[in-house]
Amino acid sequence: ISCWFPLQSLLSSMKQACEILTHDPEGGAARIPFETFSFLYSYLVSIDGEISKTETEAFLQGIKEQADKYSGMVLIRHF
């Protein structure tokens, strides 16, 4: 449960990043390429220091599996 708060804050940051970086119209799916998502998420995790490498890799693998179904694009609903 102690990991929940840092994770929620991180995911909120990732949602905002998706909304800023997307080429989708306002109110759209806010898709971004998996590579961009992975880079930003990994960077923020490294700064935070609360989430383990194993947890990060598992999370990103799950996101990649979802993104692969959408031409490599991550949607906010994937996380």
Side-chain angles (χ1 to χ4, degrees):
I1 223 168
S2 64
C3 291
W4 189 80
F5 291 110
L7 182 60
Q8 286 303 109
S9 177
L10 179 62
L11 294 180
S12 177
S13 296
M14 291 306 300
K15 179 182 178 200
Q16 290 176 2
C18 288
E19 291 171 348
I20 291 167
L21 297 172
T22 190
H23 292 288
D24 290 337
E26 183 79 26
R31 298 169 296 170
I32 65 170
F34 173 77
E35 293 78 15
T36 303
F37 182 91
S38 178
F39 176 81
L40 289 172
Y41 185 84
S42 297
Y43 175 73
L44 291 175
V45 164
S46 73
I47 291 172
D48 182 73
E50 295 284 325
I51 301 169
S52 74
K53 184 175 180 176
T54 303
E55 290 172 307
T56 299
E57 290 171 356
F59 175 78
L60 288 175
Q61 180 59 37
I63 294 294
K64 182 167 182 0
E65 289 172 9
Q66 291 296 315
D68 286 346
K69 297 174 187 174
Y70 292 86
S71 302
M73 300 296 280
V74 176
L75 286 71
I76 290 174
R77 69 176 187 224
H78 292 162
F79 58 96

PDB file of all heavy atoms in Angstrom, residues 10-39:
ATOM      1  N   LEU A  10       2.708   9.352 -10.124  1.00  0.00           N
ATOM      2  CA  LEU A  10       3.432   9.087 -11.363  1.00  0.00           C
ATOM      3  C   LEU A  10       2.461   8.900 -12.526  1.00  0.00           C
ATOM      4  O   LEU A  10       2.652   9.468 -13.602  1.00  0.00           O
ATOM      5  CB  LEU A  10       4.313   7.850 -11.189  1.00  0.00           C
ATOM      6  CG  LEU A  10       5.117   7.405 -12.395  1.00  0.00           C
ATOM      7  CD1 LEU A  10       6.102   8.483 -12.817  1.00  0.00           C
ATOM      8  CD2 LEU A  10       5.855   6.128 -12.071  1.00  0.00           C
ATOM      9  N   LEU A  11       1.417   8.138 -12.310  1.00  0.00           N
ATOM     10  CA  LEU A  11       0.444   7.906 -13.374  1.00  0.00           C
ATOM     11  C   LEU A  11      -0.305   9.182 -13.738  1.00  0.00           C
ATOM     12  O   LEU A  11      -0.637   9.410 -14.902  1.00  0.00           O
ATOM     13  CB  LEU A  11      -0.521   6.790 -12.984  1.00  0.00           C
ATOM     14  CG  LEU A  11       0.113   5.399 -12.860  1.00  0.00           C
ATOM     15  CD1 LEU A  11      -0.935   4.369 -12.480  1.00  0.00           C
ATOM     16  CD2 LEU A  11       0.841   4.991 -14.121  1.00  0.00           C
ATOM     17  N   SER A  12      -0.546  10.025 -12.750  1.00  0.00           N
ATOM     18  CA  SER A  12      -1.170  11.321 -13.017  1.00  0.00           C
ATOM     19  C   SER A  12      -0.245  12.170 -13.894  1.00  0.00           C
ATOM     20  O   SER A  12      -0.697  12.813 -14.846  1.00  0.00           O
ATOM     21  CB  SER A  12      -1.465  12.035 -11.700  1.00  0.00           C
ATOM     22  OG  SER A  12      -1.991  13.316 -11.939  1.00  0.00           O
ATOM     23  N   SER A  13       1.041  12.135 -13.593  1.00  0.00           N
ATOM     24  CA  SER A  13       2.020  12.860 -14.409  1.00  0.00           C
ATOM     25  C   SER A  13       2.052  12.304 -15.828  1.00  0.00           C
ATOM     26  O   SER A  13       2.144  13.066 -16.803  1.00  0.00           O
ATOM     27  CB  SER A  13       3.411  12.768 -13.793  1.00  0.00           C
ATOM     28  OG  SER A  13       3.438  13.411 -12.540  1.00  0.00           O
ATOM     29  N   MET A  14       1.970  10.982 -15.963  1.00  0.00           N
ATOM     30  CA  MET A  14       1.990  10.366 -17.279  1.00  0.00           C
ATOM     31  C   MET A  14       0.729  10.718 -18.073  1.00  0.00           C
ATOM     32  O   MET A  14       0.797  10.939 -19.280  1.00  0.00           O
ATOM     33  CB  MET A  14       2.144   8.848 -17.159  1.00  0.00           C
ATOM     34  CG  MET A  14       3.504   8.403 -16.665  1.00  0.00           C
ATOM     35  SD  MET A  14       4.898   9.040 -17.614  1.00  0.00           S
ATOM     36  CE  MET A  14       4.556   8.382 -19.243  1.00  0.00           C
ATOM     37  N   LYS A  15      -0.390  10.804 -17.395  1.00  0.00           N
ATOM     38  CA  LYS A  15      -1.631  11.205 -18.068  1.00  0.00           C
ATOM     39  C   LYS A  15      -1.483  12.619 -18.625  1.00  0.00           C
ATOM     40  O   LYS A  15      -1.829  12.884 -19.776  1.00  0.00           O
ATOM     41  CB  LYS A  15      -2.814  11.134 -17.103  1.00  0.00           C
ATOM     42  CG  LYS A  15      -4.111  11.563 -17.731  1.00  0.00           C
ATOM     43  CD  LYS A  15      -5.270  11.527 -16.758  1.00  0.00           C
ATOM     44  CE  LYS A  15      -6.519  12.027 -17.458  1.00  0.00           C
ATOM     45  NZ  LYS A  15      -7.547  12.462 -16.556  1.00  0.00           N
ATOM     46  N   GLN A  16      -0.940  13.510 -17.814  1.00  0.00           N
ATOM     47  CA  GLN A  16      -0.738  14.888 -18.274  1.00  0.00           C
ATOM     48  C   GLN A  16       0.228  14.930 -19.449  1.00  0.00           C
ATOM     49  O   GLN A  16       0.008  15.673 -20.408  1.00  0.00           O
ATOM     50  CB  GLN A  16      -0.234  15.760 -17.126  1.00  0.00           C
ATOM     51  CG  GLN A  16      -1.289  16.000 -16.075  1.00  0.00           C
ATOM     52  CD  GLN A  16      -0.761  16.783 -14.902  1.00  0.00           C
ATOM     53  OE1 GLN A  16       0.388  17.188 -14.861  1.00  0.00           O
ATOM     54  NE2 GLN A  16      -1.615  17.015 -13.920  1.00  0.00           N
ATOM     55  N   ALA A  17       1.294  14.128 -19.389  1.00  0.00           N
ATOM     56  CA  ALA A  17       2.261  14.083 -20.491  1.00  0.00           C
ATOM     57  C   ALA A  17       1.582  13.617 -21.778  1.00  0.00           C
ATOM     58  O   ALA A  17       1.819  14.188 -22.851  1.00  0.00           O
ATOM     59  CB  ALA A  17       3.437  13.171 -20.135  1.00  0.00           C
ATOM     60  N   CYS A  18       0.749  12.587 -21.677  1.00  0.00           N
ATOM     61  CA  CYS A  18       0.026  12.093 -22.853  1.00  0.00           C
ATOM     62  C   CYS A  18      -0.858  13.184 -23.441  1.00  0.00           C
ATOM     63  O   CYS A  18      -0.906  13.369 -24.661  1.00  0.00           O
ATOM     64  CB  CYS A  18      -0.816  10.869 -22.505  1.00  0.00           C
ATOM     65  SG  CYS A  18       0.129   9.368 -22.209  1.00  0.00           S
ATOM     66  N   GLU A  19      -1.539  13.901 -22.574  1.00  0.00           N
ATOM     67  CA  GLU A  19      -2.439  14.957 -23.042  1.00  0.00           C
ATOM     68  C   GLU A  19      -1.666  16.099 -23.704  1.00  0.00           C
ATOM     69  O   GLU A  19      -2.151  16.708 -24.651  1.00  0.00           O
ATOM     70  CB  GLU A  19      -3.299  15.464 -21.886  1.00  0.00           C
ATOM     71  CG  GLU A  19      -4.309  14.428 -21.434  1.00  0.00           C
ATOM     72  CD  GLU A  19      -5.050  14.784 -20.158  1.00  0.00           C
ATOM     73  OE1 GLU A  19      -4.639  15.736 -19.458  1.00  0.00           O
ATOM     74  OE2 GLU A  19      -6.037  14.092 -19.853  1.00  0.00           O
ATOM     75  N   ILE A  20      -0.462  16.370 -23.234  1.00  0.00           N
ATOM     76  CA  ILE A  20       0.357  17.443 -23.807  1.00  0.00           C
ATOM     77  C   ILE A  20       1.009  17.012 -25.114  1.00  0.00           C
ATOM     78  O   ILE A  20       1.059  17.778 -26.073  1.00  0.00           O
ATOM     79  CB  ILE A  20       1.432  17.883 -22.791  1.00  0.00           C
ATOM     80  CG1 ILE A  20       0.770  18.590 -21.606  1.00  0.00           C
ATOM     81  CG2 ILE A  20       2.484  18.779 -23.438  1.00  0.00           C
ATOM     82  CD1 ILE A  20       1.684  18.792 -20.409  1.00  0.00           C
ATOM     83  N   LEU A  21       1.508  15.782 -25.160  1.00  0.00           N
ATOM     84  CA  LEU A  21       2.310  15.330 -26.296  1.00  0.00           C
ATOM     85  C   LEU A  21       1.514  14.721 -27.451  1.00  0.00           C
ATOM     86  O   LEU A  21       2.061  14.527 -28.529  1.00  0.00           O
ATOM     87  CB  LEU A  21       3.352  14.306 -25.819  1.00  0.00           C
ATOM     88  CG  LEU A  21       4.386  14.844 -24.835  1.00  0.00           C
ATOM     89  CD1 LEU A  21       5.240  13.706 -24.298  1.00  0.00           C
ATOM     90  CD2 LEU A  21       5.236  15.914 -25.483  1.00  0.00           C
ATOM     91  N   THR A  22       0.254  14.430 -27.238  1.00  0.00           N
ATOM     92  CA  THR A  22      -0.538  13.773 -28.281  1.00  0.00           C
ATOM     93  C   THR A  22      -0.766  14.669 -29.489  1.00  0.00           C
ATOM     94  O   THR A  22      -0.731  15.900 -29.383  1.00  0.00           O
ATOM     95  CB  THR A  22      -1.898  13.307 -27.722  1.00  0.00           C
ATOM     96  OG1 THR A  22      -2.516  12.475 -28.694  1.00  0.00           O
ATOM     97  CG2 THR A  22      -2.815  14.471 -27.396  1.00  0.00           C
ATOM     98  N   HIS A  23      -0.984  14.021 -30.613  1.00  0.00           N
ATOM     99  CA  HIS A  23      -1.404  14.727 -31.821  1.00  0.00           C
ATOM    100  C   HIS A  23      -2.913  14.576 -32.028  1.00  0.00           C
ATOM    101  O   HIS A  23      -3.447  15.082 -33.014  1.00  0.00           O
ATOM    102  CB  HIS A  23      -0.644  14.198 -33.046  1.00  0.00           C
ATOM    103  CG  HIS A  23       0.811  14.528 -33.015  1.00  0.00           C
ATOM    104  ND1 HIS A  23       1.297  15.800 -33.213  1.00  0.00           N
ATOM    105  CD2 HIS A  23       1.900  13.755 -32.789  1.00  0.00           C
ATOM    106  CE1 HIS A  23       2.609  15.796 -33.124  1.00  0.00           C
ATOM    107  NE2 HIS A  23       3.009  14.557 -32.862  1.00  0.00           N
ATOM    108  N   ASP A  24      -3.567  13.885 -31.087  1.00  0.00           N
ATOM    109  CA  ASP A  24      -5.018  13.719 -31.166  1.00  0.00           C
ATOM    110  C   ASP A  24      -5.703  15.053 -30.870  1.00  0.00           C
ATOM    111  O   ASP A  24      -5.175  15.874 -30.120  1.00  0.00           O
ATOM    112  CB  ASP A  24      -5.501  12.674 -30.154  1.00  0.00           C
ATOM    113  CG  ASP A  24      -5.070  11.262 -30.512  1.00  0.00           C
ATOM    114  OD1 ASP A  24      -4.797  11.008 -31.698  1.00  0.00           O
ATOM    115  OD2 ASP A  24      -5.005  10.422 -29.597  1.00  0.00           O
ATOM    116  N   PRO A  25      -6.902  15.248 -31.430  1.00  0.00           N
ATOM    117  CA  PRO A  25      -7.631  16.482 -31.142  1.00  0.00           C
ATOM    118  C   PRO A  25      -8.042  16.555 -29.665  1.00  0.00           C
ATOM    119  O   PRO A  25      -8.080  15.532 -28.969  1.00  0.00           O
ATOM    120  CB  PRO A  25      -8.864  16.403 -32.046  1.00  0.00           C
ATOM    121  CG  PRO A  25      -8.981  14.974 -32.450  1.00  0.00           C
ATOM    122  CD  PRO A  25      -7.619  14.366 -32.333  1.00  0.00           C
ATOM    123  N   GLU A  26      -8.324  17.750 -29.208  1.00  0.00           N
ATOM    124  CA  GLU A  26      -8.778  17.978 -27.832  1.00  0.00           C
ATOM    125  C   GLU A  26      -9.926  17.021 -27.501  1.00  0.00           C
ATOM    126  O   GLU A  26     -10.857  16.863 -28.280  1.00  0.00           O
ATOM    127  CB  GLU A  26      -9.275  19.419 -27.689  1.00  0.00           C
ATOM    128  CG  GLU A  26      -9.716  19.805 -26.304  1.00  0.00           C
ATOM    129  CD  GLU A  26      -8.560  20.115 -25.375  1.00  0.00           C
ATOM    130  OE1 GLU A  26      -7.488  20.501 -25.863  1.00  0.00           O
ATOM    131  OE2 GLU A  26      -8.745  19.959 -24.164  1.00  0.00           O
ATOM    132  N   GLY A  27      -9.823  16.345 -26.361  1.00  0.00           N
ATOM    133  CA  GLY A  27     -10.848  15.402 -25.942  1.00  0.00           C
ATOM    134  C   GLY A  27     -10.704  14.022 -26.562  1.00  0.00           C
ATOM    135  O   GLY A  27     -11.504  13.137 -26.297  1.00  0.00           O
ATOM    136  N   GLY A  28      -9.664  13.826 -27.379  1.00  0.00           N
ATOM    137  CA  GLY A  28      -9.424  12.537 -28.025  1.00  0.00           C
ATOM    138  C   GLY A  28      -8.762  11.553 -27.071  1.00  0.00           C
ATOM    139  O   GLY A  28      -8.675  11.782 -25.869  1.00  0.00           O
ATOM    140  N   ALA A  29      -8.252  10.477 -27.635  1.00  0.00           N
ATOM    141  CA  ALA A  29      -7.674   9.393 -26.836  1.00  0.00           C
ATOM    142  C   ALA A  29      -6.334   9.758 -26.188  1.00  0.00           C
ATOM    143  O   ALA A  29      -5.867   9.057 -25.307  1.00  0.00           O
ATOM    144  CB  ALA A  29      -7.495   8.150 -27.709  1.00  0.00           C
ATOM    145  N   ALA A  30      -5.707  10.839 -26.614  1.00  0.00           N
ATOM    146  CA  ALA A  30      -4.420  11.293 -26.082  1.00  0.00           C
ATOM    147  C   ALA A  30      -3.343  10.212 -26.238  1.00  0.00           C
ATOM    148  O   ALA A  30      -2.613   9.896 -25.314  1.00  0.00           O
ATOM    149  CB  ALA A  30      -4.539  11.760 -24.633  1.00  0.00           C
ATOM    150  N   ARG A  31      -3.259   9.648 -27.440  1.00  0.00           N
ATOM    151  CA  ARG A  31      -2.286   8.593 -27.726  1.00  0.00           C
ATOM    152  C   ARG A  31      -0.886   9.175 -27.897  1.00  0.00           C
ATOM    153  O   ARG A  31      -0.726  10.263 -28.445  1.00  0.00           O
ATOM    154  CB  ARG A  31      -2.658   7.885 -29.023  1.00  0.00           C
ATOM    155  CG  ARG A  31      -3.992   7.205 -28.996  1.00  0.00           C
ATOM    156  CD  ARG A  31      -4.410   6.760 -30.370  1.00  0.00           C
ATOM    157  NE  ARG A  31      -4.579   7.959 -31.211  1.00  0.00           N
ATOM    158  CZ  ARG A  31      -4.748   7.940 -32.514  1.00  0.00           C
ATOM    159  NH1 ARG A  31      -4.761   6.798 -33.165  1.00  0.00           N
ATOM    160  NH2 ARG A  31      -4.897   9.052 -33.197  1.00  0.00           N
ATOM    161  N   ILE A  32       0.107   8.416 -27.425  1.00  0.00           N
ATOM    162  CA  ILE A  32       1.504   8.737 -27.711  1.00  0.00           C
ATOM    163  C   ILE A  32       2.230   7.429 -28.024  1.00  0.00           C
ATOM    164  O   ILE A  32       1.787   6.359 -27.597  1.00  0.00           O
ATOM    165  CB  ILE A  32       2.216   9.491 -26.555  1.00  0.00           C
ATOM    166  CG1 ILE A  32       2.335   8.636 -25.296  1.00  0.00           C
ATOM    167  CG2 ILE A  32       1.535  10.825 -26.272  1.00  0.00           C
ATOM    168  CD1 ILE A  32       3.226   9.248 -24.213  1.00  0.00           C
ATOM    169  N   PRO A  33       3.329   7.496 -28.764  1.00  0.00           N
ATOM    170  CA  PRO A  33       4.073   6.268 -29.074  1.00  0.00           C
ATOM    171  C   PRO A  33       4.597   5.592 -27.804  1.00  0.00           C
ATOM    172  O   PRO A  33       4.987   6.277 -26.839  1.00  0.00           O
ATOM    173  CB  PRO A  33       5.232   6.758 -29.938  1.00  0.00           C
ATOM    174  CG  PRO A  33       4.802   8.082 -30.467  1.00  0.00           C
ATOM    175  CD  PRO A  33       3.908   8.667 -29.417  1.00  0.00           C
ATOM    176  N   PHE A  34       4.625   4.257 -27.820  1.00  0.00           N
ATOM    177  CA  PHE A  34       5.122   3.516 -26.665  1.00  0.00           C
ATOM    178  C   PHE A  34       6.536   3.948 -26.301  1.00  0.00           C
ATOM    179  O   PHE A  34       6.864   4.073 -25.128  1.00  0.00           O
ATOM    180  CB  PHE A  34       5.087   2.003 -26.919  1.00  0.00           C
ATOM    181  CG  PHE A  34       5.750   1.243 -25.808  1.00  0.00           C
ATOM    182  CD1 PHE A  34       5.092   1.042 -24.599  1.00  0.00           C
ATOM    183  CD2 PHE A  34       7.047   0.772 -25.940  1.00  0.00           C
ATOM    184  CE1 PHE A  34       5.713   0.381 -23.546  1.00  0.00           C
ATOM    185  CE2 PHE A  34       7.670   0.092 -24.905  1.00  0.00           C
ATOM    186  CZ  PHE A  34       7.001  -0.099 -23.701  1.00  0.00           C
ATOM    187  N   GLU A  35       7.375   4.176 -27.295  1.00  0.00           N
ATOM    188  CA  GLU A  35       8.759   4.565 -27.026  1.00  0.00           C
ATOM    189  C   GLU A  35       8.816   5.847 -26.200  1.00  0.00           C
ATOM    190  O   GLU A  35       9.621   5.974 -25.276  1.00  0.00           O
ATOM    191  CB  GLU A  35       9.553   4.737 -28.328  1.00  0.00           C
ATOM    192  CG  GLU A  35       9.763   3.460 -29.091  1.00  0.00           C
ATOM    193  CD  GLU A  35       8.529   3.002 -29.883  1.00  0.00           C
ATOM    194  OE1 GLU A  35       7.580   3.795 -30.097  1.00  0.00           O
ATOM    195  OE2 GLU A  35       8.509   1.824 -30.277  1.00  0.00           O
ATOM    196  N   THR A  36       7.975   6.812 -26.529  1.00  0.00           N
ATOM    197  CA  THR A  36       7.920   8.071 -25.788  1.00  0.00           C
ATOM    198  C   THR A  36       7.418   7.827 -24.377  1.00  0.00           C
ATOM    199  O   THR A  36       7.990   8.320 -23.396  1.00  0.00           O
ATOM    200  CB  THR A  36       7.010   9.085 -26.514  1.00  0.00           C
ATOM    201  OG1 THR A  36       7.492   9.279 -27.840  1.00  0.00           O
ATOM    202  CG2 THR A  36       6.959  10.417 -25.779  1.00  0.00           C
ATOM    203  N   PHE A  37       6.342   7.049 -24.267  1.00  0.00           N
ATOM    204  CA  PHE A  37       5.779   6.730 -22.954  1.00  0.00           C
ATOM    205  C   PHE A  37       6.818   6.035 -22.082  1.00  0.00           C
ATOM    206  O   PHE A  37       7.029   6.405 -20.927  1.00  0.00           O
ATOM    207  CB  PHE A  37       4.544   5.835 -23.112  1.00  0.00           C
ATOM    208  CG  PHE A  37       3.890   5.502 -21.811  1.00  0.00           C
ATOM    209  CD1 PHE A  37       2.879   6.305 -21.311  1.00  0.00           C
ATOM    210  CD2 PHE A  37       4.282   4.388 -21.069  1.00  0.00           C
ATOM    211  CE1 PHE A  37       2.273   6.002 -20.094  1.00  0.00           C
ATOM    212  CE2 PHE A  37       3.691   4.086 -19.860  1.00  0.00           C
ATOM    213  CZ  PHE A  37       2.677   4.900 -19.376  1.00  0.00           C
ATOM    214  N   SER A  38       7.479   5.030 -22.636  1.00  0.00           N
ATOM    215  CA  SER A  38       8.463   4.251 -21.901  1.00  0.00           C
ATOM    216  C   SER A  38       9.616   5.131 -21.424  1.00  0.00           C
ATOM    217  O   SER A  38      10.058   5.036 -20.274  1.00  0.00           O
ATOM    218  CB  SER A  38       8.984   3.120 -22.785  1.00  0.00           C
ATOM    219  OG  SER A  38       9.973   2.378 -22.115  1.00  0.00           O
ATOM    220  N   PHE A  39      10.106   5.998 -22.305  1.00  0.00           N
ATOM    221  CA  PHE A  39      11.197   6.902 -21.947  1.00  0.00           C
ATOM    222  C   PHE A  39      10.797   7.812 -20.786  1.00  0.00           C
ATOM    223  O   PHE A  39      11.527   7.932 -19.796  1.00  0.00           O
ATOM    224  CB  PHE A  39      11.613   7.739 -23.166  1.00  0.00           C
ATOM    225  CG  PHE A  39      12.661   8.760 -22.847  1.00  0.00           C
ATOM    226  CD1 PHE A  39      13.998   8.402 -22.773  1.00  0.00           C
ATOM    227  CD2 PHE A  39      12.307  10.080 -22.608  1.00  0.00           C
ATOM    228  CE1 PHE A  39      14.969   9.349 -22.470  1.00  0.00           C
ATOM    229  CE2 PHE A  39      13.267  11.028 -22.296  1.00  0.00           C
ATOM    230  CZ  PHE A  39      14.598  10.660 -22.219  1.00  0.00           C
TER     231      PHE A  39
END
